[in-house]
Amino acid sequence: MNALLGLLFHSIGGFASGSFYMPYNKVKGWAWESFWIVGGLFSWLIVPPLAAYLTIPGFGAIIANCSTPILILTFVMGLFWGIGGLTYGLGVRYLGMSLGNSVVLGFCAAFGAVVPSIYYTIYPTVGKVSFTDMLSTSGGQLVLLGVLVCLLGIGISGKAGMMKERELTKEQQNASVAEFDLVKGLIIAVISGILSSFFNFGIEAGKPMADVANEAWKVLNPNQGEFLYQNNVIFVVILWGGLTTNLIWTTILSLKNKSYQNFTDKTTPITRNVMFCALAGTTWFLQFFFYGMGESKLGNGASSWILHMSTIILTANMWGIYRKEWSGVAPKTKWTIATGIVVILLSVVLVGIGNSM
């Protein structure tokens, strides 16, 4: 039952993550940095502590009483993830929902499973798997094979993007993806995928806070299993880091482009834009709200991360089809992107199996 509930929660979270960018497409007359930071305020500052307040009594005290090294490490992982989240938005902006998510999340899935093990090689911790442990075990070797397969899938997806670029005119490309730019988009997507994986390590780093919430809940609810919402307290700290990175960059862009004037430009639907940004930001956070619930049921952070990524890739590509991002291309190109997606999903399965061994 726990496995089924974990699968359900991760599927809901993956759908939320794969769908969150859609409301941004309804924002009219605003620069990218304007709608991205407004949505981000809901994603990283407003909704996470509200969710923690509603689900974890005394979550503020848990954070306040946590050791400084754990808080700093969790926050720093959030800073790195923030760069990944920032460039994710740019990757989708230049590549579209389908290709952008396939490349970004493929890298994110692979490195999310590997990054923690590298850290534990440098700083050995009892009960944690290091990279050298992975090299010496069949499960670890399967994870690394999955990473290589993932890179292959990303390469195939990138080839599909190049085929699309050759086949369609600039006007046809912009009809589905307004600012399509393959080279710029792929570079950004690779960076985003690698750095976005640090969210998974942030969860690992902040586990002591979740453990406190879990134990407190068990005292009040004996023999009821694990606390479903224990990870919500971790998200608050990680997302402080994400907010810091994104706020700095969008402020720089706003000052450079004078796009801060968007917020007072009455020729644009300001209230409507804010509402769509709020919807996007809240939907974004729901991915990790349900991710935390899923992980509490499955009990394996790495496998949970991989499952989460796979559902996002599937959802994002369904939206890509809905937005007709591949309409007008040759059947061979469609088969190429489909093959790339299948290979990426295969890599996700391999990493998941390897982490369960």
PDB file of all heavy atoms in Angstrom, residues 32 34 41 45 60 65 76 83 89 93 95 108 166 177 179 194 199 209 224 245 281 287 299 302 315 317 347 357:
ATOM      1  N   TRP A  32       9.997  38.511 -19.156  1.00  0.00           N
ATOM      2  CA  TRP A  32      10.168  37.214 -18.493  1.00  0.00           C
ATOM      3  C   TRP A  32      10.537  37.373 -17.025  1.00  0.00           C
ATOM      4  O   TRP A  32       9.983  36.713 -16.149  1.00  0.00           O
ATOM      5  CB  TRP A  32      11.259  36.411 -19.224  1.00  0.00           C
ATOM      6  CG  TRP A  32      11.574  35.117 -18.547  1.00  0.00           C
ATOM      7  CD1 TRP A  32      10.929  33.919 -18.700  1.00  0.00           C
ATOM      8  CD2 TRP A  32      12.602  34.887 -17.567  1.00  0.00           C
ATOM      9  NE1 TRP A  32      11.488  32.956 -17.891  1.00  0.00           N
ATOM     10  CE2 TRP A  32      12.520  33.531 -17.185  1.00  0.00           C
ATOM     11  CE3 TRP A  32      13.570  35.689 -16.986  1.00  0.00           C
ATOM     12  CZ2 TRP A  32      13.376  32.959 -16.249  1.00  0.00           C
ATOM     13  CZ3 TRP A  32      14.423  35.128 -16.050  1.00  0.00           C
ATOM     14  CH2 TRP A  32      14.330  33.780 -15.690  1.00  0.00           C
ATOM     15  N   SER A  34       9.883  39.656 -14.981  1.00  0.00           N
ATOM     16  CA  SER A  34       8.791  40.172 -14.150  1.00  0.00           C
ATOM     17  C   SER A  34       7.852  39.058 -13.712  1.00  0.00           C
ATOM     18  O   SER A  34       7.552  38.902 -12.526  1.00  0.00           O
ATOM     19  CB  SER A  34       8.005  41.246 -14.921  1.00  0.00           C
ATOM     20  OG  SER A  34       8.818  42.357 -15.211  1.00  0.00           O
ATOM     21  N   LEU A  41       7.824  34.357  -5.933  1.00  0.00           N
ATOM     22  CA  LEU A  41       7.478  34.771  -4.569  1.00  0.00           C
ATOM     23  C   LEU A  41       6.454  33.834  -3.957  1.00  0.00           C
ATOM     24  O   LEU A  41       6.502  33.525  -2.761  1.00  0.00           O
ATOM     25  CB  LEU A  41       6.958  36.215  -4.577  1.00  0.00           C
ATOM     26  CG  LEU A  41       7.994  37.306  -4.874  1.00  0.00           C
ATOM     27  CD1 LEU A  41       7.320  38.663  -4.973  1.00  0.00           C
ATOM     28  CD2 LEU A  41       9.074  37.323  -3.793  1.00  0.00           C
ATOM     29  N   LEU A  45       8.513  31.783  -1.247  1.00  0.00           N
ATOM     30  CA  LEU A  45       8.418  32.596  -0.033  1.00  0.00           C
ATOM     31  C   LEU A  45       7.065  32.495   0.662  1.00  0.00           C
ATOM     32  O   LEU A  45       7.004  32.400   1.892  1.00  0.00           O
ATOM     33  CB  LEU A  45       8.700  34.064  -0.372  1.00  0.00           C
ATOM     34  CG  LEU A  45       8.714  35.031   0.810  1.00  0.00           C
ATOM     35  CD1 LEU A  45       9.856  34.682   1.762  1.00  0.00           C
ATOM     36  CD2 LEU A  45       8.848  36.475   0.330  1.00  0.00           C
ATOM     37  N   GLY A  60       8.582  26.482  12.871  1.00  0.00           N
ATOM     38  CA  GLY A  60       9.555  27.552  13.046  1.00  0.00           C
ATOM     39  C   GLY A  60      10.564  27.219  14.128  1.00  0.00           C
ATOM     40  O   GLY A  60      11.757  27.516  13.993  1.00  0.00           O
ATOM     41  N   ASN A  65      15.946  25.729  16.091  1.00  0.00           N
ATOM     42  CA  ASN A  65      16.753  24.874  16.958  1.00  0.00           C
ATOM     43  C   ASN A  65      17.682  23.943  16.186  1.00  0.00           C
ATOM     44  O   ASN A  65      18.455  23.197  16.794  1.00  0.00           O
ATOM     45  CB  ASN A  65      15.841  24.030  17.861  1.00  0.00           C
ATOM     46  CG  ASN A  65      15.070  24.885  18.856  1.00  0.00           C
ATOM     47  OD1 ASN A  65      15.584  25.897  19.334  1.00  0.00           O
ATOM     48  ND2 ASN A  65      13.838  24.503  19.152  1.00  0.00           N
ATOM     49  N   VAL A  76      22.640  26.458   1.183  1.00  0.00           N
ATOM     50  CA  VAL A  76      23.585  26.536   0.057  1.00  0.00           C
ATOM     51  C   VAL A  76      23.130  25.627  -1.079  1.00  0.00           C
ATOM     52  O   VAL A  76      23.218  25.994  -2.259  1.00  0.00           O
ATOM     53  CB  VAL A  76      25.007  26.159   0.523  1.00  0.00           C
ATOM     54  CG1 VAL A  76      25.935  25.962  -0.680  1.00  0.00           C
ATOM     55  CG2 VAL A  76      25.563  27.248   1.436  1.00  0.00           C
ATOM     56  N   ILE A  83      19.900  28.475  -9.033  1.00  0.00           N
ATOM     57  CA  ILE A  83      20.470  28.756 -10.356  1.00  0.00           C
ATOM     58  C   ILE A  83      19.875  27.786 -11.370  1.00  0.00           C
ATOM     59  O   ILE A  83      19.533  28.163 -12.491  1.00  0.00           O
ATOM     60  CB  ILE A  83      22.003  28.639 -10.315  1.00  0.00           C
ATOM     61  CG1 ILE A  83      22.592  29.640  -9.318  1.00  0.00           C
ATOM     62  CG2 ILE A  83      22.592  28.873 -11.714  1.00  0.00           C
ATOM     63  CD1 ILE A  83      24.080  29.482  -9.093  1.00  0.00           C
ATOM     64  N   GLY A  89      13.699  27.962 -16.319  1.00  0.00           N
ATOM     65  CA  GLY A  89      12.737  28.837 -16.968  1.00  0.00           C
ATOM     66  C   GLY A  89      13.244  29.329 -18.309  1.00  0.00           C
ATOM     67  O   GLY A  89      12.499  29.411 -19.286  1.00  0.00           O
ATOM     68  N   ARG A  93      11.903  28.484 -22.073  1.00  0.00           N
ATOM     69  CA  ARG A  93      11.632  29.672 -22.889  1.00  0.00           C
ATOM     70  C   ARG A  93      12.217  29.526 -24.292  1.00  0.00           C
ATOM     71  O   ARG A  93      11.595  29.905 -25.282  1.00  0.00           O
ATOM     72  CB  ARG A  93      12.240  30.880 -22.174  1.00  0.00           C
ATOM     73  CG  ARG A  93      12.160  32.206 -22.918  1.00  0.00           C
ATOM     74  CD  ARG A  93      12.865  33.261 -22.073  1.00  0.00           C
ATOM     75  NE  ARG A  93      12.947  34.565 -22.723  1.00  0.00           N
ATOM     76  CZ  ARG A  93      13.595  35.606 -22.204  1.00  0.00           C
ATOM     77  NH1 ARG A  93      14.211  35.474 -21.039  1.00  0.00           N
ATOM     78  NH2 ARG A  93      13.628  36.757 -22.839  1.00  0.00           N
ATOM     79  N   LEU A  95      13.488  26.482 -25.691  1.00  0.00           N
ATOM     80  CA  LEU A  95      13.331  25.172 -26.326  1.00  0.00           C
ATOM     81  C   LEU A  95      11.893  24.688 -26.375  1.00  0.00           C
ATOM     82  O   LEU A  95      11.564  23.800 -27.171  1.00  0.00           O
ATOM     83  CB  LEU A  95      14.184  24.126 -25.592  1.00  0.00           C
ATOM     84  CG  LEU A  95      15.694  24.313 -25.631  1.00  0.00           C
ATOM     85  CD1 LEU A  95      16.386  23.234 -24.812  1.00  0.00           C
ATOM     86  CD2 LEU A  95      16.213  24.306 -27.059  1.00  0.00           C
ATOM     87  N   CYS A 108      18.762  16.354 -14.710  1.00  0.00           N
ATOM     88  CA  CYS A 108      18.393  16.506 -13.307  1.00  0.00           C
ATOM     89  C   CYS A 108      18.193  15.147 -12.643  1.00  0.00           C
ATOM     90  O   CYS A 108      18.640  14.907 -11.524  1.00  0.00           O
ATOM     91  CB  CYS A 108      17.107  17.335 -13.210  1.00  0.00           C
ATOM     92  SG  CYS A 108      16.694  17.862 -11.544  1.00  0.00           S
ATOM     93  N   ARG A 166      16.170  22.786 -38.653  1.00  0.00           N
ATOM     94  CA  ARG A 166      16.452  22.793 -40.087  1.00  0.00           C
ATOM     95  C   ARG A 166      15.173  22.757 -40.927  1.00  0.00           C
ATOM     96  O   ARG A 166      15.116  23.344 -42.012  1.00  0.00           O
ATOM     97  CB  ARG A 166      17.339  21.604 -40.456  1.00  0.00           C
ATOM     98  CG  ARG A 166      18.789  21.736 -40.018  1.00  0.00           C
ATOM     99  CD  ARG A 166      19.659  20.725 -40.726  1.00  0.00           C
ATOM    100  NE  ARG A 166      19.246  19.352 -40.432  1.00  0.00           N
ATOM    101  CZ  ARG A 166      19.773  18.609 -39.473  1.00  0.00           C
ATOM    102  NH1 ARG A 166      20.724  19.110 -38.705  1.00  0.00           N
ATOM    103  NH2 ARG A 166      19.367  17.376 -39.273  1.00  0.00           N
ATOM    104  N   VAL A 177       6.944  28.077 -30.112  1.00  0.00           N
ATOM    105  CA  VAL A 177       7.891  28.524 -29.087  1.00  0.00           C
ATOM    106  C   VAL A 177       8.374  29.898 -29.505  1.00  0.00           C
ATOM    107  O   VAL A 177       9.177  30.037 -30.437  1.00  0.00           O
ATOM    108  CB  VAL A 177       9.081  27.551 -28.958  1.00  0.00           C
ATOM    109  CG1 VAL A 177      10.011  28.021 -27.834  1.00  0.00           C
ATOM    110  CG2 VAL A 177       8.599  26.139 -28.689  1.00  0.00           C
ATOM    111  N   GLU A 179      10.442  32.180 -28.644  1.00  0.00           N
ATOM    112  CA  GLU A 179      11.842  32.593 -28.717  1.00  0.00           C
ATOM    113  C   GLU A 179      12.762  31.396 -28.953  1.00  0.00           C
ATOM    114  O   GLU A 179      13.816  31.283 -28.342  1.00  0.00           O
ATOM    115  CB  GLU A 179      12.229  33.328 -27.430  1.00  0.00           C
ATOM    116  CG  GLU A 179      11.423  34.577 -27.162  1.00  0.00           C
ATOM    117  CD  GLU A 179      11.775  35.222 -25.833  1.00  0.00           C
ATOM    118  OE1 GLU A 179      12.853  35.845 -25.758  1.00  0.00           O
ATOM    119  OE2 GLU A 179      11.000  35.092 -24.882  1.00  0.00           O
ATOM    120  N   ILE A 194      21.874  19.987 -14.382  1.00  0.00           N
ATOM    121  CA  ILE A 194      22.887  19.604 -13.390  1.00  0.00           C
ATOM    122  C   ILE A 194      22.625  20.300 -12.052  1.00  0.00           C
ATOM    123  O   ILE A 194      22.607  19.666 -10.989  1.00  0.00           O
ATOM    124  CB  ILE A 194      24.290  19.955 -13.907  1.00  0.00           C
ATOM    125  CG1 ILE A 194      24.618  19.094 -15.144  1.00  0.00           C
ATOM    126  CG2 ILE A 194      25.342  19.749 -12.815  1.00  0.00           C
ATOM    127  CD1 ILE A 194      25.911  19.472 -15.835  1.00  0.00           C
ATOM    128  N   PHE A 199      18.527  20.129  -5.531  1.00  0.00           N
ATOM    129  CA  PHE A 199      17.372  20.118  -4.637  1.00  0.00           C
ATOM    130  C   PHE A 199      17.301  18.782  -3.903  1.00  0.00           C
ATOM    131  O   PHE A 199      16.975  18.726  -2.713  1.00  0.00           O
ATOM    132  CB  PHE A 199      16.076  20.342  -5.430  1.00  0.00           C
ATOM    133  CG  PHE A 199      14.919  20.783  -4.585  1.00  0.00           C
ATOM    134  CD1 PHE A 199      14.521  22.111  -4.562  1.00  0.00           C
ATOM    135  CD2 PHE A 199      14.226  19.888  -3.779  1.00  0.00           C
ATOM    136  CE1 PHE A 199      13.467  22.539  -3.766  1.00  0.00           C
ATOM    137  CE2 PHE A 199      13.169  20.297  -2.983  1.00  0.00           C
ATOM    138  CZ  PHE A 199      12.788  21.629  -2.978  1.00  0.00           C
ATOM    139  N   MET A 209      15.985  17.925  10.201  1.00  0.00           N
ATOM    140  CA  MET A 209      14.798  18.713  10.537  1.00  0.00           C
ATOM    141  C   MET A 209      13.523  17.886  10.336  1.00  0.00           C
ATOM    142  O   MET A 209      12.604  17.923  11.161  1.00  0.00           O
ATOM    143  CB  MET A 209      14.743  19.983   9.678  1.00  0.00           C
ATOM    144  CG  MET A 209      15.775  21.032  10.045  1.00  0.00           C
ATOM    145  SD  MET A 209      15.615  22.554   9.062  1.00  0.00           S
ATOM    146  CE  MET A 209      16.347  22.008   7.507  1.00  0.00           C
ATOM    147  N   GLN A 224       1.237   4.770  13.858  1.00  0.00           N
ATOM    148  CA  GLN A 224       0.564   5.273  12.654  1.00  0.00           C
ATOM    149  C   GLN A 224       1.520   5.394  11.473  1.00  0.00           C
ATOM    150  O   GLN A 224       1.187   6.013  10.458  1.00  0.00           O
ATOM    151  CB  GLN A 224      -0.059   6.649  12.951  1.00  0.00           C
ATOM    152  CG  GLN A 224      -1.152   6.622  14.009  1.00  0.00           C
ATOM    153  CD  GLN A 224      -2.357   5.811  13.581  1.00  0.00           C
ATOM    154  OE1 GLN A 224      -2.833   5.936  12.451  1.00  0.00           O
ATOM    155  NE2 GLN A 224      -2.838   4.951  14.473  1.00  0.00           N
ATOM    156  N   THR A 245      18.796  33.432  -5.002  1.00  0.00           N
ATOM    157  CA  THR A 245      19.414  33.411  -6.330  1.00  0.00           C
ATOM    158  C   THR A 245      18.536  34.089  -7.370  1.00  0.00           C
ATOM    159  O   THR A 245      18.985  34.942  -8.146  1.00  0.00           O
ATOM    160  CB  THR A 245      19.680  31.963  -6.765  1.00  0.00           C
ATOM    161  OG1 THR A 245      20.456  31.306  -5.766  1.00  0.00           O
ATOM    162  CG2 THR A 245      20.431  31.935  -8.081  1.00  0.00           C
ATOM    163  N   GLY A 281       3.108  29.784  -9.627  1.00  0.00           N
ATOM    164  CA  GLY A 281       3.981  29.598  -8.477  1.00  0.00           C
ATOM    165  C   GLY A 281       3.455  28.579  -7.489  1.00  0.00           C
ATOM    166  O   GLY A 281       4.201  27.740  -6.974  1.00  0.00           O
ATOM    167  N   GLN A 287       4.437  20.463  -6.505  1.00  0.00           N
ATOM    168  CA  GLN A 287       5.247  19.304  -6.897  1.00  0.00           C
ATOM    169  C   GLN A 287       6.019  18.764  -5.703  1.00  0.00           C
ATOM    170  O   GLN A 287       6.092  17.545  -5.492  1.00  0.00           O
ATOM    171  CB  GLN A 287       6.208  19.674  -8.018  1.00  0.00           C
ATOM    172  CG  GLN A 287       7.301  20.652  -7.613  1.00  0.00           C
ATOM    173  CD  GLN A 287       8.424  20.740  -8.619  1.00  0.00           C
ATOM    174  OE1 GLN A 287       8.968  19.720  -9.051  1.00  0.00           O
ATOM    175  NE2 GLN A 287       8.751  21.953  -9.024  1.00  0.00           N
ATOM    176  N   GLY A 299      10.237   5.853   1.197  1.00  0.00           N
ATOM    177  CA  GLY A 299      11.375   5.710   2.090  1.00  0.00           C
ATOM    178  C   GLY A 299      12.722   5.650   1.403  1.00  0.00           C
ATOM    179  O   GLY A 299      13.682   5.165   1.966  1.00  0.00           O
ATOM    180  N   ALA A 302      16.569   8.758  -3.274  1.00  0.00           N
ATOM    181  CA  ALA A 302      17.053   8.701  -4.655  1.00  0.00           C
ATOM    182  C   ALA A 302      15.997   8.129  -5.591  1.00  0.00           C
ATOM    183  O   ALA A 302      15.732   8.661  -6.665  1.00  0.00           O
ATOM    184  CB  ALA A 302      18.334   7.866  -4.717  1.00  0.00           C
ATOM    185  N   THR A 315       4.586  14.378 -18.318  1.00  0.00           N
ATOM    186  CA  THR A 315       3.592  15.454 -18.298  1.00  0.00           C
ATOM    187  C   THR A 315       3.996  16.602 -19.217  1.00  0.00           C
ATOM    188  O   THR A 315       3.186  17.113 -19.999  1.00  0.00           O
ATOM    189  CB  THR A 315       3.406  15.989 -16.869  1.00  0.00           C
ATOM    190  OG1 THR A 315       2.997  14.930 -16.008  1.00  0.00           O
ATOM    191  CG2 THR A 315       2.356  17.090 -16.840  1.00  0.00           C
ATOM    192  N   ASN A 317       5.876  16.589 -21.795  1.00  0.00           N
ATOM    193  CA  ASN A 317       5.775  16.235 -23.209  1.00  0.00           C
ATOM    194  C   ASN A 317       4.327  16.160 -23.672  1.00  0.00           C
ATOM    195  O   ASN A 317       4.031  16.437 -24.835  1.00  0.00           O
ATOM    196  CB  ASN A 317       6.510  14.925 -23.477  1.00  0.00           C
ATOM    197  CG  ASN A 317       8.003  15.134 -23.656  1.00  0.00           C
ATOM    198  OD1 ASN A 317       8.445  15.587 -24.705  1.00  0.00           O
ATOM    199  ND2 ASN A 317       8.781  14.849 -22.627  1.00  0.00           N
ATOM    200  N   SER A 347      16.383   5.375 -18.841  1.00  0.00           N
ATOM    201  CA  SER A 347      17.467   5.679 -17.905  1.00  0.00           C
ATOM    202  C   SER A 347      16.929   5.911 -16.497  1.00  0.00           C
ATOM    203  O   SER A 347      17.542   5.513 -15.502  1.00  0.00           O
ATOM    204  CB  SER A 347      18.239   6.921 -18.373  1.00  0.00           C
ATOM    205  OG  SER A 347      17.520   8.108 -18.139  1.00  0.00           O
ATOM    206  N   MET A 357      18.352  -1.642  -5.224  1.00  0.00           N
ATOM    207  CA  MET A 357      19.111  -2.892  -5.010  1.00  0.00           C
ATOM    208  C   MET A 357      19.999  -2.826  -3.766  1.00  0.00           C
ATOM    209  O   MET A 357      20.397  -1.745  -3.345  1.00  0.00           O
ATOM    210  CB  MET A 357      19.956  -3.190  -6.262  1.00  0.00           C
ATOM    211  CG  MET A 357      19.124  -3.509  -7.496  1.00  0.00           C
ATOM    212  SD  MET A 357      20.121  -3.739  -8.989  1.00  0.00           S
ATOM    213  CE  MET A 357      21.067  -5.191  -8.538  1.00  0.00           C
TER     214      MET A 357
END
